[in-house]
């Protein structure tokens, strides 16, 4: 049994928007920070564009790319914690407001750049297929 297209689209929109909001705000120490508007509102705008343009597949790849960046930041922070301060712990990145803000904006930037790249790749593939 398959889902009707409008329901499938609604589920995809909800999942992608949640993934963007969570991944983009992972570096924020407080969930009430004004910077949470970047991944929540910006993610909503990107998801709305993808849904209207019927490009949810490309958005899915972009969200995956953003989460790879989240993983890289997490691993990088862990390596720095172990290598740079073996005797004592350093505070998590979210405890520093400037790097957390730069990281939040950077993660949203990764999403935008990846989405644009996947859109361009898809358009080139569609153009090549129609020739």
């Amino acid at each position: 049994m398959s889902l009707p297209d409008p329901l499938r689209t609604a589920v995809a929109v909800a999942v992608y928007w949640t993934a963007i909001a969570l991944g983009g705000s992972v570096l924020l120490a407080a969930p009430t920070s004004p910077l949470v508007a970047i991944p929540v509102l910006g993610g909503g705008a990107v998801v709305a564009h993808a849904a209207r343009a019927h490009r949810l597949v490309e958005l899915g790849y972009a969200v995956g790319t953003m989460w790879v960046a989240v993983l890289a930041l997490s691993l990088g922070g862990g390596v720095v914690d172990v290598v740079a301060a073996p005797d004592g712990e350093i505070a998590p990145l979210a405890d520093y407001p400037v790097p957390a803000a730069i990281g939040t904006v950077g993660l949203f930037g990764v999403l935008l750049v990846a989405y644009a790249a996947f859109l361009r790749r898809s358009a080139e593939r569609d153009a090549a297929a129609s020739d």
Side-chain angles (χ1 to χ4, degrees), residues 3-116:
L3 295 174
D5 265 354
L7 182 58
R8 186 179 310 145
T9 300
V11 169
V13 164
V15 168
Y16 289 149
W17 195 7
T18 302
I20 293 167
L22 290 175
S25 62
V26 74
L27 295 176
L28 298 176
T32 58
S33 170
L35 284 173
V36 81
I38 294 172
V40 171
L41 298 178
V46 173
V47 171
H49 175 270
R52 282 190 205 117
H54 302 287
R55 295 298 184 186
L56 288 171
V57 171
E58 290 82 356
L59 178 63
Y61 288 127
V63 170
T65 302
M66 183 190 75
W67 273 95
V68 167
V70 169
L71 177 63
L73 278 172
S74 299
L75 290 175
V79 168
V80 167
D81 190 26
V82 169
V83 173
D87 294 333
E89 285 189 24
I90 59 172
L93 190 58
D95 287 348
Y96 300 107
V98 173
I102 292 170
T104 299
V105 172
L107 286 173
F108 188 68
V110 166
L111 174 76
L112 291 178
V113 168
Y115 181 54

Side-chain angles (χ1 to χ4, degrees), residues 105-130:
V105 172
L107 286 173
F108 188 68
V110 166
L111 174 76
L112 291 178
V113 168
Y115 181 54
F118 286 117
L119 283 177
R120 184 184 55 215
R121 180 177 167 206
S122 179
E124 289 172 355
R125 187 176 35 230
D126 291 346
S130 67

